[in-house]
Amino acid sequence: MAPDARETARRGPRRTVTTAFVVSRIAVLAVAAAFLLYAAPPLAAAGSWTGLGVLGAATAVIGYLYLTPRHIPAKYLVPGTVFLIAFQIFPVLYTVSTAFTNFGDGHRGDKQAAVTAIETGSVRQAPGSPEYDLTVGLRGQELVFLLVDPDTEQVRLGTAESLSPLTGAQVGVTGKVLRAPGVTVLTTPQAAARGPEISALSVPTPDGAIKANGLSRAVEGKAALVYDAGCDCVRGDGGTWTADDGQGYFVNAAGEHLAQGWQVDVGFDNFTQVLTNPTISGYFLSVFGWNAGFALASVAGTFALGMAVALALHHPRMRGTTVYRIALILPYAMPSFAMLLVWRDLFNRDFGLINQLFGLDVDWMGQPVTARLAVILVNLWLGFPYMFLVTTGALQAIPRELTEAASIDGATPWQGFRRVTLPLLLVALTPLLISSFAFNFNNFNAIALTSEGGPFPAENSQVGATDLLITYTFRLAFGTGGAQFGFAAAISVFIFAIVAVISAVAFRRTRRQEEVYA
């Protein structure tokens, strides 16, 4: 090879790598800059200076790393670390922090927001209260009121936070606003479709609030409940409700509280409720036992069936394996939520295909034993293609010489499988089996879309025979009395701890197994 050709060959790959690296560096810097420009204004507007400082520092570090030729390993580690923090560490920490609060319906904002909601929600129209011609609009995604004073024809913009004059609006002869700067005027059908939102919107005023009276009129009224900062209480309607900052409620002498509260830290109250509330702790062990059994049966069943099919198709005399493999992975390729609904109908007692096909009269979802068997069978059908695929890949990595040597030594096919093939498969697939157990331990869809947790005993409609901890938690936290995110987060922490302990023990046994067959 000529010297020039050798030099070209030597420089070509280096130029390709350098170009790819430059493109990657520009992409990372562009994403970091875009995220900074996107996130900085909301953080500054909310006064979150700590978050803004962290964002600025992280952007500066990324800029330094990718604008200098140093720290090559960090250039590859930083993107993965950022995604790890954003999509794994942060959600876990946020869930844990939420578990120590009363965050939920009625407790979503701070105390000032609760006071505003209580006062505006208690507005009553008084005789002689001002009335306005109302037009409903959207400012971005925010619902707003365009209010026209019939006497002065002055237009005001009303939001959930304030009432302010609006200039440049065009008003029709009927008092409706036809156009307004920065606002999209809704037509009557569009406004009617958002009726509940319009009725709930209150525009605060110095003496009360303005609320809609239909879709074309708005009236100003006075609040029946008023906050008194001197006693830190709410007065009105013949009663007094004093602030309880420990629970985030205004409570009267009889222990009754107003519906609207605010978010506070409640310490370990959510965790102690799980352990001391008879409605929860009384059924926790039984639900946990079935939960663990369901996860183990799902993993063992799908692995056994998937491995059996993979071994059959792995036999050297097997023909047409491609066609079989395509057919076998169809359940894995279909949307699981749709197939779960189909299976629910298949198990229907009156018109389900299973009863009709086999001439049965079994109430599959009406009895605890048959309902549990049904959800395990459905999960077996959905899960075995995955085990078939991973087992097929693991079998390809086992040299045939090992099984042939065992056969020469006089081992039967069963002995060769039990002594050679299965141990090597378990070494490769045990981490996947553990992850499959963790997935099935929290397999919400498999229960919610088939049995819905039932059947339920007559004396208790909160916990069913097929409920997992995750479906039981969902029903307790969101089924009655509104959403209780803090309580749900506390139970999620319990579930996370259980799965983490089981997984840690399983991984320790896996490492010992790897040492034996290494």
Side-chain angles (χ1 to χ4, degrees):
M1 183 181 292
D4 292 342
R6 286 197 298 269
E7 184 66 18
T8 301
R10 185 180 67 83
R11 291 184 178 180
R14 181 176 299 178
R15 185 179 296 112
T16 302
V17 172
T18 303
T19 302
F21 180 77
V22 170
V23 172
S24 301
R25 181 169 60 180
I26 293 174
V28 172
L29 290 173
V31 171
F35 189 76
L36 175 65
L37 295 175
Y38 173 79
L43 290 174
S48 180
W49 307 117
T50 301
L52 188 61
V54 172
L55 177 65
T59 306
V61 170
I62 292 175
Y64 168 75
L65 285 176
Y66 287 91
L67 290 175
T68 61
R70 301 177 180 178
H71 311 293
I72 299 298
K75 290 178 171 60
Y76 294 95
L77 292 174
V78 164
T81 303
V82 170
F83 283 110
L84 177 66
I85 294 173
F87 295 107
Q88 292 192 13
I89 297 178
F90 176 76
V92 171
L93 294 179
Y94 183 77
T95 301
V96 173
S97 64
T98 303
F100 292 92
T101 70
N102 63 346
F103 180 54
D105 284 350
H107 299 277
R108 294 177 181 264
D110 56 13
K111 189 174 183 179
Q112 183 57 46
V115 169
T116 302
I118 291 170
E119 291 181 339
T120 56
S122 66
V123 171
R124 306 287 187 272
Q125 183 181 4
S129 297
E131 295 190 5
Y132 303 90
D133 292 319
L134 171 65
T135 304
V136 183
L138 289 175
R139 187 174 62 177
Q141 298 297 322
E142 181 186 16
L143 192 70
V144 298
F145 285 169
L146 299 173
L147 304 167
V148 180
D149 191 325
D151 299 328
T152 63
E153 295 188 355
Q154 181 183 6
V155 182
R156 296 182 180 181
L157 176 68
T159 68
E161 291 79 24
S162 63
L163 178 66
S164 58
L166 181 64
T167 58
Q170 180 181 354
V171 183
V173 294
T174 61
K176 300 288 288 185
V177 177
L178 304 179
R179 295 180 183 83
V183 177
T184 302
V185 176
L186 298 182
T187 64
T188 301
Q190 290 173 335
R194 307 184 70 152
E197 297 177 65
I198 295 172
S199 299
L201 178 59
S202 297
V203 180
T205 64
D207 297 326
I210 298 174
K211 301 201 71 170
N213 184 12
L215 297 178
S216 60
R217 303 292 293 175
V219 296
E220 182 175 350
K222 291 187 177 181
L225 298 175
V226 179
Y227 176 72
D228 186 350
C231 64
D232 195 17
C233 63
V234 173
R235 301 181 186 274
D237 281 346
T240 301
W241 291 262
T242 305
D244 183 351
D245 291 321
Q247 297 296 322
Y249 273 125
F250 287 102
V251 185
N252 63 11
E256 302 169 339
H257 59 77
L258 298 177
Q260 182 64 47
W262 60 95
Q263 183 177 340
V264 295
D265 292 332
V266 295
F268 290 92
D269 286 358
N270 290 325
F271 295 94
T272 56
Q273 183 181 357
V274 176
L275 300 175
T276 59
N277 189 336
T279 306
I280 304 169
S281 59
Y283 301 96
F284 186 86
L285 290 178
S286 62
V287 174
F288 171 73
W290 154 244
N291 199 153
F294 170 79
L296 287 172
S298 297
V299 173
T302 55
F303 176 65
L305 182 57
M307 180 179 60
V309 176
L311 288 170
L313 296 183
H314 187 65
H315 196 278
R317 296 183 181 180
M318 191 69 183
R319 297 292 181 266
T321 56
T322 303
V323 177
Y324 287 117
R325 286 170 180 167
I326 293 174
L328 288 169
I329 64 173
L330 283 178
Y332 192 57
M334 300 292 289
S336 60
F337 76 92
M339 301 311 300
L340 287 169
L341 295 175
V342 171
W343 274 100
R344 182 189 64 183
D345 292 337
L346 291 177
F347 281 111
N348 186 276
R349 178 178 184 175
D350 299 321
F351 56 83
L353 180 62
I354 294 179
N355 277 356
Q356 293 184 4
L357 186 63
F358 294 100
L360 303 175
D361 187 28
V362 178
D363 186 8
W364 291 95
M365 297 301 173
Q367 302 296 326
V369 174
T370 55
R372 290 177 174 179
L373 177 62
V375 295
I376 290 176
L377 290 176
V378 173
N379 215 34
L380 174 64
W381 184 83
L382 287 172
F384 91 88
Y386 169 74
M387 291 299 179
F388 162 70
L389 290 174
V390 297
T391 305
T392 298
L395 286 173
Q396 303 294 332
I398 298 177
R400 290 188 182 273
E401 290 80 1
L402 295 177
T403 55
E404 293 174 356
S407 177
I408 293 174
D409 289 341
T412 64
W414 167 249
Q415 290 174 332
F417 167 74
R418 188 167 64 90
R419 299 287 187 179
V420 179
T421 305
L422 182 59
L424 293 176
L425 281 177
L426 291 177
V427 169
L429 299 182
T430 297
L432 295 177
L433 296 177
I434 296 173
S435 64
S436 179
F437 174 85
F439 171 80
N440 284 290
F441 198 88
N442 294 300
N443 197 340
F444 180 87
N445 287 344
I447 302 300
L449 297 179
T450 51
S451 65
E452 298 180 353
F456 296 92
E459 67 277 5
N460 185 7
S461 61
Q462 288 294 320
V463 56
T466 58
D467 262 325
L468 305 181
L469 288 175
I470 189 69
T471 58
Y472 184 36
T473 300
F474 183 85
R475 189 176 299 109
L476 290 174
F478 304 104
T480 58
Q484 304 177 56
F485 293 103
F487 177 65
I491 302 184
S492 298
V493 171
F494 274 112
I495 297 175
F496 173 79
I498 292 171
V499 175
V501 170
I502 294 174
S503 300
V505 173
F507 274 117
R508 283 179 62 89
R509 296 183 63 87
T510 301
R511 285 195 294 269
R512 294 176 183 175
Q513 189 178 27
E514 290 175 352
E515 293 173 359
V516 171
Y517 291 97

